[in-house]
Amino acid sequence: MGQKTSTAVLEAVNTMTGAAFPTKDPLDAAGTCVFDDKVMAEKLPAAVLKRFQDCLISGDPTTEEDQKIIADTLYEWARERGCIDFAHWFFPLRGGGGAVGGMLGAFKQDTLLDLDFASKYVTKPMKACLPAERLFQGETDGSSFPNGGLR
């Protein structure tokens, strides 16, 4: 179904039902809000970006201080756009190793909420945040798969 057909179908459904489905194809917006190299260059301190890029090339771990700066910057950028969750699409080294339907790639979604572990209460309240350790968590073992391994 092409863009014009999709739009026409949505408009017809809206007319017949009185619903308010968006008449624009949601796929038109795909990839428009990505925290990519260009955005990082605009938002991150230059020294942090340089060290992060060096780590990506060398394979060295990003320092905890830089991880926190990157996570906090990403969180603020995302909230400015109304985001409440985030996801990553990844491709484990073991092809089709447990992903639904034997796919080679997988998708993991997470929220911009976490427990407030600093709270004095036994039942910890929720707080809006993006902890750096959640953003920089490696999953090379495929532990996000339903039959995944140890983390």
Side-chain angles (χ1 to χ4, degrees), residues 64-139:
E64 287 185 18
E65 181 181 333
D66 285 353
Q67 287 181 12
K68 180 162 178 25
I69 292 168
I70 294 166
D72 290 347
T73 303
L74 173 56
Y75 174 80
E76 290 301 321
W77 175 86
R79 292 299 297 140
E80 288 169 2
R81 284 152 184 76
C83 294
I84 58 171
D85 54 16
F86 65 98
H88 69 265
W89 182 21
F90 59 99
F91 299 88
L93 297 175
R94 54 185 181 136
V100 177
M103 315 181 267
L104 295 177
F107 173 86
K108 181 179 182 216
Q109 188 167 354
D110 210 338
T111 185
L112 295 175
L113 289 172
D114 203 1
L115 294 174
D116 183 359
F117 291 103
S119 170
K120 65 180 181 178
Y121 300 107
V122 174
T123 304
K124 305 298 184 200
M126 300 297 283
K127 67 178 181 177
C129 65
L130 175 56
E133 57 273 5
R134 199 164 359 140
L135 182 62
F136 285 89
Q137 171 180 311
E139 299 192 33

